Amino acid sequence: MAPPSYTIIGTPFSTFTRSITLALNYKGLPFNQVRCVPHSDTAYDNHPFGFLPTLIIHEIDGKRVDLKLRESMAIACFIDRVAPEPSLLISAGQGKALVEEQMWEFVSLVGAHGFSVVEAGVVKPRIAANDEGKLTDTEIRKQIQPAVDHLRKLLHKMEELMADDGYVFGSKLSWADFFLFPLLADLKAIPEGDLLSPRLLRWMENMNKLEAVQATTHGTLSVGARPP
Ligand SMILES: N[C@@H](CCC(=O)N[C@@H](CS)C(=O)NCC(=O)O)C(=O)O
């Protein structure tokens, strides 16, 4: 059997990496995954700044190229072009979107604001403190309180952009869901997951039913894993 045409560089623990593997699974594109953490030798071998993920495209039009594509939104556009169906795009009129580009707006907001607030602000400090085992839960809560306040506001603002039910843009699954999900799956795994509203919890239940979600759960914080 021919080897997969794609390799994804990045640990399943990386939320941006999971957004891409969710889509590869959903669209039925086989891939290999090289598990590495950011700023490791492998990450730098594949990304100029040692970030995750990189998608290695082994062949284009039958020719070996081993092209390294970085930046998850660029990778998403590539995946959409080579595998347009099942579509992860939305049309005007779906959810609160008046124009199609609002889906990419949501994705960009998640990447630019959600990641730092959820992961860097709350999830990673909480996990580091838990793993270190020196502070009590009360002490940890006090230490991360400012970041948790920020997180509460972010979740509220993201929810305001979402449809009232179903996926982020209502009945149609989109890239918006695949970019938001890894962050909130991590959040749900820690005590600060209590901040998730009934709407967000319903959305997560919908997401958890997807085969792509189940296929990409192994190795993530949501099941207690640690990198790589
Ligand atoms: N803009 C990048 C962001 C990727 C990103 O931040 N990845 C995280 C891992 S989930 C990372 O490599 N972080 C390293 C760092 O912050 O130094 C993308 O969309 O791919």
Side-chain angles (χ1 to χ4, degrees), residues 86-134:
S87 163
L88 284 170
L89 302 176
I90 63 131
S91 311
Q94 280 174 329
K96 291 190 176 166
L98 295 183
V99 294
E100 297 169 28
E101 290 75 15
Q102 281 174 276
M103 194 272 293
W104 291 116
E105 174 194 52
F106 190 96
V107 166
S108 188
L109 288 170
V110 170
H113 302 275
F115 181 77
S116 59
V117 175
V118 178
E119 294 291 335
V122 175
V123 171
K124 291 199 164 82
R126 159 60 84 173
I127 294 301
N130 278 0
D131 287 356
E132 207 181 27
K134 288 191 182 150

Side-chain angles (χ1 to χ4, degrees), residues 32-88:
N32 286 324
Q33 184 160 12
V34 175
R35 298 164 68 120
C36 67
V37 293
H39 306 297
S40 56
D41 288 349
T42 307
Y44 276 111
D45 283 347
N46 291 284
H47 188 293
F49 308 109
F51 277 50
L52 308 176
T54 293
L55 181 74
I56 306 184
I57 303 161
H58 294 297
E59 278 191 6
I60 296 178
D61 295 334
K63 192 168 162 233
R64 185 98 191 170
V65 287
D66 294 331
L67 171 72
K68 292 171 182 166
L69 189 62
R70 297 80 172 219
E71 287 299 308
S72 46
M73 279 175 68
I75 297 171
C77 291
F78 171 81
I79 290 173
D80 269 348
R81 193 159 52 73
V82 296
E85 298 297 336
S87 163
L88 284 170

Side-chain angles (χ1 to χ4, degrees), residues 144-161:
I144 62 176
Q145 189 57 48
V148 170
D149 291 340
H150 201 176
L151 171 65
R152 188 178 291 106
K153 288 185 198 139
L154 174 114
L155 291 175
H156 181 66
K157 285 176 195 291
M158 295 312 289
E159 192 177 330
E160 278 183 333
L161 297 173

